[in-house]
């Protein structure tokens, strides 16, 4: 379905980003990976799906590096047809103890990076398909873009902001073939959440298994993690023809978290 399309997924060396990159590659999209840590493993996994894959090491907190990445992607593949703004970090502390430097980093990586990548991707998306425009922008927000939790001020502010940016992007392109939507997962067991499980286990002197149960039990009625594969399938749907008129939606996949 996505043959001859190019998808750039920020923060795709691990977790949800890698899951979405693999799902889009399985539909034939060429992939631009980004993120820190191991690059060879993710590159090999995606190459095995028979598509072209490349990598750019942009630090998503730095606008100049984001510009460089978008130029690199356009030079390599001609155009970024699908942009998945996924890179994100977390910091957990009460507001009075929240380090100002961590606030700036969370806002830069979880929110401002999506603005920069989007503004740079839009002109080519709008010119695609003989001037009719075709593009998909998918913002990885969170259930924390819809509701709050204590001790996550920067993350909750960034994710609410990202849903606002999603709506504006959708509206500004509503008469074109470019859509923009947000995906809002509940708990997904990735390195980002494993750190929170480990901190809970250490703070309470309980096992990792007990900490995991508590974490799910506090917020997620299904008592189940959402998986990167399920999120990848939702991204594929948004890129499909059936997603042509899905615009400005914040779609939670959260085991009932926000329904409470
Ligand atoms: P993760 O820690 O597994 O992956 C984050 C990715 O972002 C990694 O590839 C990392 O290298 C990259 N990254 C971090 N800082 C970066 C930077 N400055 N520049 C470039 N890349 C950077 O996390 P994840 O759980 O897969 O999270 C992915 C997205 O999903 C985030 O936006 C997160 O907020 C969101 N999310 C996660 C959950 C969850 O439960 N895991 C729930 C809701 C939303």
């Amino acid at each position: 379905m996505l043959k001859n399309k190019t998808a750039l997924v920020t923060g795709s060396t691990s977790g949800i980003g890698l899951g979405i990159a693999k799902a889009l590659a399985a539909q034939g999209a060429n992939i631009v990976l980004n993120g820190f840590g191991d690059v060879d493993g993710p590159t090999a996994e995606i190459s095995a799906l028979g598509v072209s894959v490349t990598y750019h090491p942009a630090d998503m907190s730095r606008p100049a590096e984001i510009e460089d990445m978008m130029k690199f992607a356009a030079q390599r593949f001609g155009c970024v047809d699908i942009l998945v703004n996924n890179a994100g970090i977390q910091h957990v502390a009460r507001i009075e103890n929240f380090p100002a430097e961590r606030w700036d980093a969370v806002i830069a990586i979880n929110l401002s990076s999506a603005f920069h990548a989007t503004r740079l991707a839009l002109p080519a998306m709008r010119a695609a398909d003989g001037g009719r425009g075709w593009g998909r922008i998918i913002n990885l927000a969170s259930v924390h873009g819809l509701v709050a939790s204590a001790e996550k001020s920067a993350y909750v502010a960034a994710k609410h902001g990202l849903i606002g940016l999603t709506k504006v992007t959708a509206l500004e392109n509503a008469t074109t073939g470019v859509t923009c939507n947000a995906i809002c997962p509940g708990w997904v067991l990735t390195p980002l959440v494993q750190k929170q499980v480990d901190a809970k286990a250490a703070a309470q002197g309980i096992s990792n298994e007990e900490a995991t149960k508590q974490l799910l039990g506090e917020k997620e009625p299904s008592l189940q993690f959402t998986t990167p594969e399920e999120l990848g399938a939702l991204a594929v749907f948004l890129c499909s023809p059936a997603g042509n008129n899905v615009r400005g939606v914040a779609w939670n996949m959260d085991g009932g978290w926000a329904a409470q």
Side-chain angles (χ1 to χ4, degrees), residues 1-10 12 16-32 46 49 51-52 81-85 134 136 138 183 228-229 231-240:
M1 190 180 73
L2 299 176
K3 210 166 161 29
N4 300 322
K5 302 276 191 230
T6 296
L8 187 155
V9 186
T10 70
S12 45
I16 296 169
L18 179 56
I20 291 179
K22 279 165 38 180
L24 297 175
Q27 295 296 324
N30 297 320
I31 302 292
V32 183
I46 289 177
L49 295 166
V51 299
S52 296
D81 305 286
I82 301 166
L83 169 66
V84 183
N85 289 310
W134 194 93
R136 294 289 187 262
I138 300 175
I183 297 180
E229 291 73 24
L231 294 162
L234 179 52
V236 167
F237 165 73
L238 290 172
C239 293
S240 75

Side-chain angles (χ1 to χ4, degrees), residues 3-217:
K3 210 166 161 29
N4 300 322
K5 302 276 191 230
T6 296
L8 187 155
V9 186
T10 70
S12 45
T13 48
S14 130
I16 296 169
L18 179 56
I20 291 179
K22 279 165 38 180
L24 297 175
Q27 295 296 324
N30 297 320
I31 302 292
V32 183
L33 292 171
N34 158 258
F36 302 144
D38 175 34
V39 176
D40 294 344
T43 301
E45 282 184 67
I46 289 177
S47 284
L49 295 166
V51 299
S52 296
V53 53
T54 188
Y55 166 76
H56 192 281
D59 178 335
M60 296 304 292
S61 66
R62 301 191 173 172
E65 294 187 23
I66 299 172
E67 286 195 21
D68 193 56
M69 177 180 71
M70 297 305 291
K71 271 191 207 139
F72 166 84
Q75 273 163 8
R76 174 74 173 78
F77 289 118
C79 173
V80 172
D81 305 286
I82 301 166
L83 169 66
V84 183
N85 289 310
N86 165 82
I89 58 168
Q90 176 63 284
H91 188 85
V92 180
R94 289 180 64 85
I95 291 172
E96 62 272 28
N97 301 327
F98 212 97
E101 157 279 315
R102 288 285 82 198
W103 170 276
D104 288 345
V106 172
I107 299 295
I109 296 165
N110 296 26
L111 176 58
S112 302
S113 73
F115 160 71
H116 293 296
T118 298
R119 74 179 168 82
L120 295 163
L122 274 172
M125 287 181 177
R126 290 181 65 126
D129 199 16
R132 276 176 303 201
W134 194 93
R136 294 289 187 262
I137 299 173
I138 300 175
N139 292 329
L140 252 292
S142 164
V143 68
H144 281 118
L146 302 166
V147 297
S149 292
E151 303 192 354
K152 294 188 175 172
S153 53
Y155 190 85
V156 168
K159 296 300 189 182
H160 275 68
L162 189 55
I163 290 179
L165 175 66
T166 301
K167 292 175 182 172
V168 174
T169 308
L171 288 179
E172 288 184 3
N173 295 283
T175 58
T176 76
V178 180
T179 72
C180 179
N181 294 287
I183 297 180
C184 302
W187 291 124
V188 186
L189 192 55
T190 64
L192 182 137
V193 165
Q194 190 61 51
K195 273 185 216 150
Q196 294 173 65
V197 172
D198 295 345
K200 198 181 215 356
Q204 296 181 28
I206 55 177
S207 69
N208 220 277
E209 201 185 359
E210 186 52 36
T212 303
K213 253 194 220 157
Q214 277 190 24
L215 189 97
L216 285 169

